[in-house]
Amino acid sequence: MRDHLSGGIFTESEESADCFQLAVALKNILQQRGVTFRFNTTVRQLAADSNRKVSVQTTAGEHLTPDHIVVALACESTALLKPLGIAVPVSPLKGYSLTVPIERAADAPMVSITDYERKVVYARLGERLRIAGMADMVGLNRRIDTSRIEALKQEARNLFPDAGNYDLATLWTGLRPATPKGKPIIDGTRYGNLWLNIGQGALGFTLAPGSASVISHLLRGQALPFGKNVFTLADA
Ligand SMILES: Cc1cc2nc3c(=O)[nH]c(=O)nc-3n(C[C@H](O)[C@H](O)[C@H](O)COP(=O)(O)OP(=O)(O)OC[C@H]3O[C@@H](n4cnc5c(N)ncnc54)[C@H](O)[C@@H]3O)c2cc1C
């Protein structure tokens, strides 16, 4: 690989983590603290009353009017918010990842690597190597396109041919909720109990704690630590 490189930037402070494990651990802690999760329940509709108070209707037949609703449904937010007259400019950028069991540890990267030229990232997750890339504009289509997977595998094979058996890769596809300026939308709305936390694009895991901090400050009516909110819908 050395022959193909002209240089790189090493960020010593960078870390990688398994977002699924973190989400499960967080869920367990929150459940212990009394939070109720409604899994396998879809929000069918948001509706406002004459006092601009928004209610949530779910597929479980519930009709809830909570003190606060934070819409954080990524690309699906657009359709749900439209009937309330809120237009969020969020577009799906479809990407793929492969997670490969590492067979030869010395031939797999130890640190997270971003190949800027080819827009592919490599992250070591313990005994596994995760390779992610592609940005396809195909709407809300979540089907795995095998030709895109093969292209990603080929990139990985070129760079780390002996790291693992790419034929054993676990395949995944997801939609990055992209905004025009690449900034998330974390904002209130004209409805007193309705908030937005959408559009973290290619960095939703990285930006999750910061976004949560911003939305919790806004919800409580507290000043943001960095001053003016730069994540408004108006400036998206
Ligand atoms: C290939 C790839 C690699 C990536 N790598 C990284 C990375 O290394 N680091 C990083 O920080 N980010 C990464 N990202 C980006 C990250 O995945 C997204 O930014 C993040 O998932 C956005 O989080 P979200 O919660 O807003 O949306 P999502 O993760 O899309 O979650 C939205 C949730 O809302 C649910 N939902 C939708 N509609 C409804 C409804 N009507 N009722 C109830 N629930 C509903 C969905 O089921 C889903 O669970 C990557 C993305 C891709 C595609």
Side-chain angles (χ1 to χ4, degrees), residues 14-217:
E14 192 165 300
E15 304 263 0
S16 47
D18 186 322
C19 52
F20 178 70
Q21 273 190 26
L22 184 119
V24 171
L26 197 56
K27 180 208 72 159
N28 292 340
I29 291 170
L30 292 173
Q31 277 177 330
Q32 282 161 18
R33 294 187 185 178
V35 173
T36 303
F37 289 84
R38 288 174 164 80
F39 292 114
N40 302 314
T41 306
T42 299
V43 175
R44 199 197 295 274
Q45 196 186 358
L46 297 175
D49 68 14
S50 54
N51 295 320
R52 292 185 181 265
K53 185 117 181 165
V54 176
S55 310
V56 178
Q57 288 169 31
T58 73
T59 47
E62 293 165 306
H63 190 107
L64 310 164
T65 311
D67 294 338
H68 296 289
I69 301 165
V70 178
V71 178
L73 304 178
C75 302
E76 316 280 350
S77 309
T78 315
L80 210 62
L81 290 166
K82 200 174 171 194
L84 294 175
I86 301 172
V88 281
V90 180
S91 307
L93 280 185
K94 185 176 184 178
Y96 292 89
S97 82
L98 315 169
T99 306
V100 185
I102 291 174
E103 290 184 344
R104 290 170 54 144
D107 292 321
M110 294 302 295
V111 294
S112 162
I113 292 181
T114 301
D115 180 343
Y116 273 105
E117 186 77 17
R118 295 179 176 76
K119 308 271 185 288
V120 178
V121 297
Y122 299 84
R124 177 93 174 236
L125 298 172
E127 304 296 304
R128 296 168 299 151
L129 177 63
R130 179 160 296 163
I131 302 121
M134 309 291 172
D136 299 344
M137 299 190 77
V138 289
L140 296 174
N141 174 347
R142 288 186 170 80
R143 196 178 57 83
I144 290 187
D145 178 339
T146 46
S147 69
R148 304 301 279 155
I149 288 287
E150 284 311 314
L152 197 55
K153 276 188 189 172
Q154 198 49 51
E155 293 289 354
R157 281 196 179 105
N158 290 344
L159 221 47
F160 302 107
D162 301 317
N165 183 346
Y166 292 98
D167 293 330
L168 299 180
T170 305
L171 314 180
W172 180 77
T173 184
L175 304 174
R176 304 179 189 90
T179 59
K181 291 188 185 170
K183 288 191 303 176
I185 300 163
I186 311 173
D187 202 1
T189 66
R190 74 180 82 113
Y191 303 94
N193 65 337
L194 189 71
W195 304 83
L196 311 174
N197 183 9
I198 308 166
Q200 278 76 4
L203 288 173
F205 183 39
T206 315
L207 299 179
S211 301
S213 172
V214 172
I215 195 72
S216 77
H217 276 78

